[in-house]
């Protein structure tokens, strides 16, 4: 699916990759390229902090809650600072919305891009040395450059994303992103401080045998979700649930599978946030040949109403998501 003009070999550095891809677009100003570099750099810093988390005093809760009433972990707050700082230095970003900030964070009225970010995804896994991640979406602002940021710049449909990606801090650290021309994955080599292309032109198998859902909430799932789980069991599918969205998503992207976070009694709209969790992964999965839905609507078509809005999320292999959606009809 990647633009066939230049196929770059495995081992290409992220910097070289970004530069080559930018050269393919006439009139590209390089600002989006710089943004991606800024995010990749902040990812290195966060990666370093995560790697020594057990040795220094940065695990555990900080004693505050975010706007959604969730306990903030020290690394949530630290990662938020690292990414926001990296994005503010370059000047390309006019605003950031983050899981960890109640309101829009204004950066630079002369910037062209809005970033939505989950600085650290999978917070409950920080303290136990299990994979966690960062998720980001990039939008082009709609109001004129130079003017103050408006809510319309931020509350755009996922279909308007110009780039999206995630960092996975796993057994190795990876950056996976799309600019709408396929999905590419880069593995970080810490001793060299470089990301290298390791997973070119990623595509998700059309079908899979893995389902990822927190079945502890089974009794409050809607009937179609219960039916889908039954279908998985009848077909001897494997259950795999890490509890870090990025990590579950990444495994399913590589191997085939479906991730579901449905409506529950506790979270009547699901738990995951549209603007900085679902949109980015929906863009990536569609670019990789899969699907993302709320069960009733394509995620990328949702008109957002609030910064921290939640939606039910079904994402993964095309045939699996189609089957799950069919049960809602
Ligand atoms: P975050 O750590 O950014 O708040 O996100 C947590 C999310 C997601 O990563 C994960 O898949 C889900 O919460 C797990 O929720 P449950 O513990 O309810 O299964
Ligand atoms: Mn998250
Ligand atoms: Mn988070």
């Amino acid at each position: 699916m990647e633009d066939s003009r230049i196929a770059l070999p495995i081992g290409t550095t992220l910097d070289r990759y970004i530069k080559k891809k930018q050269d393919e677009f006439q009139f590209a100003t390089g600002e989006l390229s710089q943004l991606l570099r800024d995010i990749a750099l902040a990812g290195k810093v966060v990666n370093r902090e995560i790697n020594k988390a057990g040795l220094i005093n940065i695990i555990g809760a900080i004693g505050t809650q975010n706007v959604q009433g969730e306990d903030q972990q020290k690394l949530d707050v630290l990662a938020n600072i690292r990414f926001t700082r990296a994005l503010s230095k370059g000047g390309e970003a006019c605003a950031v919305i983050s899981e960890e900030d109640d309101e829009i964070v204004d950066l630079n009225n002369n910037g062209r891009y809005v970033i939505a970010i989950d600085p650290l995804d999978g917070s409950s896994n920080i303290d136990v040395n299990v994979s966690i991640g960062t998720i980001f979406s990039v939008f082009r602002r709609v109001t004129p450059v130079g003017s103050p940021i408006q809510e319309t710049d931020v509350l755009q449909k996922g279909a308007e994303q110009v780039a999206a990606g995630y960092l996975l801090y796993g057994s190795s650290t990876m950056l996976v992103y799309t600019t709408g021309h396929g999905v590419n994955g880069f593995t970080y080599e810490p001793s060299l401080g470089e990301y290298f292309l390791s997973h070119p032109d990623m595509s998700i198998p059309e079908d899979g045998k893995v389902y990822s859902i927190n079945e502890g909430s089974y009794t409050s799932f809607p009937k179609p979700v219960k039916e889908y789980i039954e279908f998985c069991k009848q077909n001897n599918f494997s259950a795999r649930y890490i509890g870090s969205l990025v990590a579950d998503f990444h495994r399913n992207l590589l191997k085939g599978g479906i991730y579901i976070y449905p409506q529950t009694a506790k979270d009547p709209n699901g738990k995951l946030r549209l603007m900085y969790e679902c949109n980015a992964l929906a863009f990536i999965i569609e670019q990789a040949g899969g699907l993302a839905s709320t069960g009733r609507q394509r995620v990328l078509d949702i008109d957002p109403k609030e910064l921290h809005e939640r939606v039910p999320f079904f994402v993964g292999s095309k045939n699996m998501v189609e089957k799950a959606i069919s049960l809602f009809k």
Side-chain angles (χ1 to χ4, degrees):
M1 201 182 293
E2 179 64 77
D3 224 333
S4 56
R5 279 173 287 182
I6 307 175
L8 291 165
I10 286 179
T12 303
T13 65
L14 176 66
D15 267 352
R16 174 177 276 267
Y17 186 91
I18 290 174
K19 173 80 177 66
K20 288 275 187 196
K21 289 293 155 187
Q22 184 193 318
D23 291 347
E24 289 180 2
F25 295 100
Q26 228 189 339
F27 311 124
T29 59
E31 288 167 288
L32 180 59
S33 301
Q34 190 51 46
L35 261 182
L36 291 168
R37 288 195 192 95
D38 292 344
I39 291 170
L41 175 62
K44 290 185 194 178
V45 177
V46 170
N47 175 68
R48 192 183 59 190
E49 273 151 6
I50 289 168
N51 273 307
K52 56 185 184 190
L55 297 172
I56 52 176
N57 185 26
I58 53 169
I59 55 177
I62 198 168
T64 52
Q65 291 192 329
N66 65 19
V67 68
Q68 298 150 83
E70 296 163 344
D71 290 334
Q72 289 180 304
Q73 306 297 307
K74 288 178 194 162
L75 266 173
D76 282 330
V77 174
L78 201 62
N80 193 36
I81 292 169
R82 297 287 182 248
F83 280 101
T84 311
R85 199 177 280 167
L87 291 167
S88 66
K89 289 253 190 287
E92 292 83 12
C94 55
V96 174
I97 64 166
S98 163
E99 180 186 353
E100 307 305 335
D101 290 303
D102 306 1
E103 307 288 345
I104 300 169
V105 179
D106 290 350
L107 292 183
N108 167 19
N109 286 345
N110 290 319
R112 275 177 213 280
Y113 294 97
V114 173
I115 319 299
I117 192 159
D118 178 354
L120 211 64
D121 171 68
S123 309
S124 68
N125 282 324
I126 296 173
D127 293 0
V128 291
N129 205 358
V130 170
S131 299
I132 49 183
T134 296
I135 309 173
F136 63 91
S137 287
V138 182
F139 293 90
R140 200 169 279 121
R141 67 182 295 175
V142 292
T143 57
V145 172
S147 62
I149 307 311
Q150 306 292 322
E151 212 169 59
T152 49
D153 290 316
V154 171
L155 293 181
Q156 299 191 50
K157 284 184 185 174
E160 303 298 333
Q161 290 170 99
V162 292
Y166 59 84
L167 282 132
L168 170 62
Y169 313 102
S171 44
S172 57
T173 291
M174 282 193 71
L175 170 65
V176 174
Y177 79 92
T178 183
T179 55
H181 303 275
V183 182
N184 288 279
F186 299 79
T187 299
Y188 181 58
E189 214 293 24
S191 66
L192 298 173
E194 287 271 15
Y195 298 89
F196 294 95
L197 180 62
S198 53
H199 295 65
D201 201 10
M202 299 170 84
S203 67
I204 182 167
E206 274 204 350
D207 235 320
K209 290 186 178 303
V210 167
Y211 70 107
S212 313
I213 185 167
N214 184 347
E215 267 189 88
S217 305
Y218 184 88
T219 50
S220 69
F221 288 162
K223 195 159 162 275
V225 174
K226 289 181 175 170
E227 285 169 4
Y228 185 72
I229 291 174
E230 218 31 63
F231 166 82
C232 293
K233 293 183 172 172
Q234 293 305 324
N235 286 280
N236 289 318
F237 289 179
S238 292
R240 293 281 184 276
Y241 190 75
I242 297 168
S244 292
L245 172 62
V246 169
D248 280 308
F249 177 90
H250 184 73
R251 182 204 49 244
N252 292 352
L253 172 59
L254 295 182
K255 304 281 188 193
I258 186 170
Y259 175 97
I260 304 176
Y261 208 112
Q263 310 72 343
T264 64
K266 186 163 161 257
D267 294 301
N269 294 317
K271 179 182 180 188
L272 301 176
R273 279 61 53 104
L274 173 64
M275 293 306 296
Y276 41 79
E277 289 178 317
C278 304
N279 269 340
L281 301 185
F283 188 20
I284 293 167
I285 210 75
E286 287 200 4
Q287 284 293 315
L291 289 177
S293 169
T294 65
R296 300 183 193 282
Q297 187 183 11
R298 179 183 177 230
V299 169
L300 296 181
D301 286 338
I302 301 172
D303 225 337
K305 300 283 180 280
E306 289 170 35
L307 295 186
H308 301 283
E309 165 172 354
R310 297 172 194 256
V311 290
F313 196 41
F314 297 71
V315 65
S317 292
K318 182 171 170 289
N319 294 347
M320 298 180 88
V321 177
E322 273 174 357
K323 170 74 184 172
I325 298 172
S326 74
L327 300 171
F328 276 87
K329 294 192 174 121

